[in-house]
Amino acid sequence: MKKLGIIGFGWLGNHMAERLSHQYEIFVTTTTQSKAEDLASKGYHATLVDFADDRSEEITGWEVASQLDAIIITVPFSGIRGMQVSMKNRQKNLLKFLGDYKGQLFLMSSTGVYPQAEKEFTEVDLSADRVESESFITHQFPQANILRLAGLMGGTRLLKNYNISNLDQLVNHVHYADICSVVEKMLEKQSQSKVYNVVAPIHPNKEEVICAQKDLPYLGVRTEKGRLISPAKLISELGFEFQYPDPRYFHL
């Protein structure tokens, strides 16, 4: 069985491990001993490591890295909503941890790297080498794939469960199941050096989504203007079909 590493085992990492564990032996990192023991009970191989930016302790290379066919990095390297906050120590520690890894590599980035402007953004608008939270990986690992994830939704993560403002604002969201499917397809294709926006292709406004999730009628009119992130390149190059193309129905 092939071996897959997941660095940063949070909400998304857990969904990925569950999806891929029938194809891969799973190696993960976590920050607490209790969680490492819990992950071990699920059959995952856990390494205890913390990439916190305010830590200066020495981090050594991941002993199993050379055995792994692919590594997925879910540790965040930008601030809230993709704000470009310097995390130099965290970046440096991750690079040490990866060593001279030669296999397939994925960095989970964010559509928050795009400016707050009313237009449709594609990957051409912002290359990885212009984004600090992405370029630190691609400079050392040119084979790395960068996945710019929209707002993570699905399961109990539904817009109706949050205190929301700007209800007429168009959404850029993605269901975790589609993220897992994208990664699975790229693993199969042995994709390298790709940059993709991973976002549902339909962009209702927040009020539409909340009404649908509460089974209420929406009586407004959707604006045609807004900040939109396009998944066209992902759909075209991977031949990808979204299981959840419309955020209004992420709860179904």
Side-chain angles (χ1 to χ4, degrees):
M1 183 177 276
K2 288 186 174 181
K3 295 178 171 62
L4 174 69
I6 301 176
I7 295 178
F9 197 85
W11 182 80
L12 181 59
N14 181 58
H15 282 299
M16 287 188 175
E18 289 180 350
R19 174 70 167 268
L20 296 165
S21 59
H22 67 291
Q23 302 175 57
Y24 291 85
E25 189 176 357
I26 305 292
F27 295 77
V28 304
T29 74
T30 186
T31 57
T32 66
Q33 184 60 41
S34 60
K35 191 169 182 182
E37 292 169 1
D38 178 58
L39 293 171
S41 72
K42 295 180 179 179
Y44 306 148
H45 306 276
T47 297
L48 202 61
V49 63
D50 191 348
F51 298 102
D53 196 53
D54 58 357
R55 301 285 180 84
S56 58
E57 62 200 47
E58 192 68 24
I59 285 185
T60 57
W62 199 7
E63 291 183 359
V64 301
S66 62
Q67 306 169 34
L68 303 178
D69 296 281
I71 293 176
I72 301 168
I73 303 164
T74 68
V75 176
F77 288 93
S78 58
I80 297 172
R81 300 189 183 281
M83 290 173 59
Q84 292 305 293
V85 178
S86 180
M87 296 186 178
K88 293 295 187 185
N89 286 339
R90 182 178 293 192
Q91 294 173 3
K92 192 182 303 182
N93 287 336
L94 178 72
L95 294 177
K96 285 182 183 177
F97 193 65
L98 290 170
D100 62 350
Y101 181 70
K102 305 297 185 189
Q104 199 177 11
L105 188 60
F106 296 82
L107 176 68
M108 301 295 111
S109 184
S110 167
T111 55
V113 300
Y114 294 109
Q116 295 295 322
E118 289 192 351
K119 63 163 287 185
E120 184 174 51
F121 289 97
T122 71
E123 295 85 349
V124 173
D125 291 307
L126 191 62
S127 61
D129 61 8
R130 292 170 55 201
V131 181
E132 183 192 5
S133 57
E134 298 174 352
S135 62
F136 84 98
I137 280 286
T138 56
H139 285 169
Q140 185 154 327
F141 301 97
Q143 80 271 29
N145 298 298
I146 307 295
L147 300 186
R148 293 173 176 166
L149 309 182
L152 304 180
M153 293 290 172
T156 58
R157 282 197 183 194
L158 297 173
L159 208 59
K160 70 174 183 178
N161 296 332
Y162 297 89
N163 185 19
I164 300 299
S165 59
N166 302 319
L167 291 177
D168 60 341
Q169 189 176 65
L170 303 181
V171 303
N172 295 286
H173 287 168
V174 65
H175 195 288
Y176 71 79
D178 283 317
I179 301 172
C180 294
S181 294
V182 167
V183 171
E184 188 172 34
K185 194 155 191 174
M186 293 179 73
L187 285 166
E188 291 171 1
K189 289 180 171 288
Q190 287 294 301
S191 301
Q192 292 196 345
S193 308
K194 299 294 185 181
V195 178
Y196 289 133
N197 296 331
V198 186
V199 53
I202 298 173
H203 305 272
N205 67 38
K206 294 176 182 178
E207 188 175 4
E208 286 181 88
V209 175
I210 292 169
C211 286
Q213 292 174 354
K214 291 184 174 181
D215 199 23
L216 298 172
Y218 173 68
L219 304 176
V221 178
R222 184 189 305 173
T223 178
E224 298 298 319
K225 293 177 62 180
R227 176 179 176 273
L228 301 178
I229 313 299
S230 171
K233 180 183 176 186
L234 171 73
I235 293 169
S236 173
E237 290 190 1
L238 272 189
F240 188 75
E241 294 184 17
F242 282 82
Q243 181 182 349
Y244 294 93
D246 191 334
R248 288 175 295 181
Y249 309 115
F250 279 6
H251 61 301
L252 301 179

